[in-house]
């Protein structure tokens, strides 16, 4: 039952239409994500080779593929 309530709340939050503040758009949210060892190695390899932070790489991937 709790999962259904959470799904409904998130659906409402995502569908909410209205003016967005610049502060909210720039704000970061903390999430725990579990990834495979192979994915982790690729993220850190990119970090070392290109100097791009891991969090920015994940953010870019999410926005590009799910946005």
């Amino acid at each position: 039952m709790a999962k259904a309530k959470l799904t409904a709340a998130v659906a409402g939050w995502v569908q909410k239409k209205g003016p967005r503040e610049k502060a909210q758009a720039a704000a970061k949210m903390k999430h725990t994500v579990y990834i495979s060892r192979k994915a982790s190695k690729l993220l850190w390899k990119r970090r070392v080779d290109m100097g791009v932070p891991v969090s920015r790489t994940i953010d870019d991937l999410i926005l590009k593929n799910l946005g």
Side-chain angles (χ1 to χ4, degrees):
M1 201 59 145
K3 190 172 187 177
K5 289 180 184 178
L6 177 60
T7 302
V10 170
W13 178 69
V14 169
Q15 297 299 325
K16 187 175 15 174
K17 308 259 187 212
R20 294 184 184 200
E21 298 176 16
K22 287 184 180 180
Q24 282 183 333
K28 293 184 178 183
M29 300 178 79
K30 185 176 180 177
H31 290 277
T32 301
V33 179
Y34 295 94
I35 58 174
S36 68
R37 184 178 303 267
K38 184 177 180 180
S40 179
K41 284 185 180 183
L42 287 172
L43 283 170
W44 285 103
K45 184 176 186 319
R46 179 178 167 88
R47 170 72 171 116
V48 170
D49 292 345
M50 302 185 77
V52 178
V54 171
S55 59
R56 186 177 306 153
T57 300
I58 293 170
D59 191 53
D60 291 344
L61 287 168
I62 291 169
L63 292 175
K64 178 181 175 186
N65 294 299
L66 300 177

